[in-house]
Amino acid sequence: MKIMSLAVYEETEKEIDLAYKELNKTKIEKETSYILSQLIMVMMGTFKDRLKSITFDTHDLYFDEVFITSNKNKTALLNWLKRMIGMYHPIDDHEFGKLKVDLEEWYYQIGGRDIVFEYRDTYLLKPKETAEILGVSTVTLNKYVKRGFEYIPNSSQNRIPKHMIYLWKDPVYAIKVQMLFQEKKLRNQTPEERLKEVIKELLEFQMKYGAEFHKDAFPELDGDEINAIADYYEWEDLEEEYLELKQKVYGERKNGK
């Protein structure tokens, strides 16, 4: 199925380029809204064997002016155009998962708050089945869920989207999934509440590897070897987040906030 004609693609590309060349905020908002709506419509039509719906509250979408007028958003818009053109090719669960995560990340970047993906029951796996495929216990899988492993709290026994099997083995997207999860949590958490969680998560890594810092746990790893270890990157990110949160929380206390 062809998603977008070449003529529409080229015209939209020109409109995006012109909007940013003129630094026209109204036009940029219009093109961002257009790409978002087209993307959701195309995904729901193309992946109806996986998706029931993609929903978000249009009344709760206030564009982040700084981000949408940036070159980063311009690049994102042009990339989404190209990806939509290629969606008529068969896409496996891994690529679909990456597409879903990238859309979710971009949606939050442009100013969105909540976007909900509803999957077909046939696209969901049982937790026990998922744990067996990953080669871990259900206890470990529950720990993954607490770190952001996608889990659908429905009335069915099938609760894990199939793409999570592949994303969790993908170092880049495993971290991306967890970062998005934490960002969503932060919307409803104070810095102090999040700091307590980070300390707890750091302690779990320290006990697991018997080391205080991530570099002590992986002293001989570098380059491509490190890319295979999601724990390394997550631990590193947690250490950075800990320092930022500690400075923020202690600063607020010092200033009497």
Side-chain angles (χ1 to χ4, degrees), residues 19-36:
Y20 279 90
K21 188 173 183 179
E22 295 176 348
L23 291 176
N24 188 314
K25 180 175 171 285
T26 302
K27 285 185 179 180
I28 290 172
E29 284 189 359
K30 179 183 173 184
E31 294 305 323
T32 301
S33 292
Y34 174 73
I35 293 296
L36 176 62

Side-chain angles (χ1 to χ4, degrees), residues 39 43 46-47 50-51 80 82-84 86-104 117 119 123 150 161-168 170 172-173 176-177:
L39 185 54
M43 284 185 69
T46 306
F47 307 120
R50 296 177 172 109
L51 286 168
W80 282 123
K82 292 176 184 175
R83 290 176 82 169
M84 276 192 281
M87 280 186 201
Y88 65 91
H89 294 297
I91 293 177
D92 61 24
D93 292 340
H94 188 186
E95 290 303 314
F96 170 75
K98 291 197 285 186
L99 188 66
K100 179 262 177 186
V101 171
D102 289 343
L103 169 57
E104 193 173 12
F117 296 81
Y119 303 102
Y123 187 63
E150 194 172 2
K162 292 179 180 177
H163 57 253
M164 284 309 301
I165 298 292
Y166 305 98
L167 295 188
W168 209 248
D170 182 326
V172 174
Y173 278 86
K176 219 176 201 185
V177 165

Side-chain angles (χ1 to χ4, degrees), residues 171-232:
V172 174
Y173 278 86
I175 294 301
K176 219 176 201 185
V177 165
Q178 292 172 74
M179 287 179 67
L180 281 172
F181 178 74
Q182 295 301 341
E183 284 174 18
K184 285 185 279 187
K185 284 179 68 176
L186 280 172
R187 290 190 177 93
N188 300 311
Q189 280 185 318
T190 64
E192 189 167 353
E193 288 171 338
R194 176 56 188 156
L195 178 59
K196 290 177 182 177
E197 277 196 356
V198 169
I199 291 171
K200 184 179 178 181
E201 291 170 21
L202 283 170
L203 182 59
E204 288 179 1
F205 276 127
Q206 289 165 352
M207 292 178 68
K208 179 178 179 180
Y209 290 98
E212 188 173 359
F213 301 105
H214 74 284
K215 288 185 177 179
D216 297 330
F218 306 94
E220 298 179 1
L221 294 176
D222 54 48
D224 293 337
E225 287 180 276
I226 289 176
N227 292 331
I229 302 178
D231 277 2
Y232 180 98

Side-chain angles (χ1 to χ4, degrees), residues 227-241:
N227 292 331
I229 302 178
D231 277 2
Y232 180 98
Y233 290 109
E234 185 186 357
W235 194 346
E236 182 181 41
D237 288 339
L238 283 170
E239 287 175 356
E240 291 175 1
E241 188 180 1

Side-chain angles (χ1 to χ4, degrees), residues 39-90:
L39 185 54
I40 289 176
M41 183 180 70
V42 166
M43 284 185 69
M44 286 175 57
T46 306
F47 307 120
K48 50 190 173 184
D49 59 326
R50 296 177 172 109
L51 286 168
K52 278 187 181 180
S53 65
I54 303 173
T55 56
F56 65 93
D57 189 350
T58 54
H59 299 294
D60 202 28
L61 177 57
Y62 298 95
F63 286 125
D64 182 327
E65 184 177 342
V66 173
F67 181 81
I68 68 163
T69 55
S70 68
N71 284 329
K72 190 173 181 180
N73 191 52
K74 178 186 177 183
T75 300
L77 293 174
L78 296 174
N79 284 340
W80 282 123
L81 259 182
K82 292 176 184 175
R83 290 176 82 169
M84 276 192 281
I85 283 285
M87 280 186 201
Y88 65 91
H89 294 297

Side-chain angles (χ1 to χ4, degrees), residues 128-143:
K128 184 178 179 182
E129 181 183 4
T130 303
E132 289 174 354
I133 294 171
L134 289 173
V136 300
S137 66
T138 53
V139 173
T140 298
L141 181 63
N142 288 334
K143 289 181 180 178

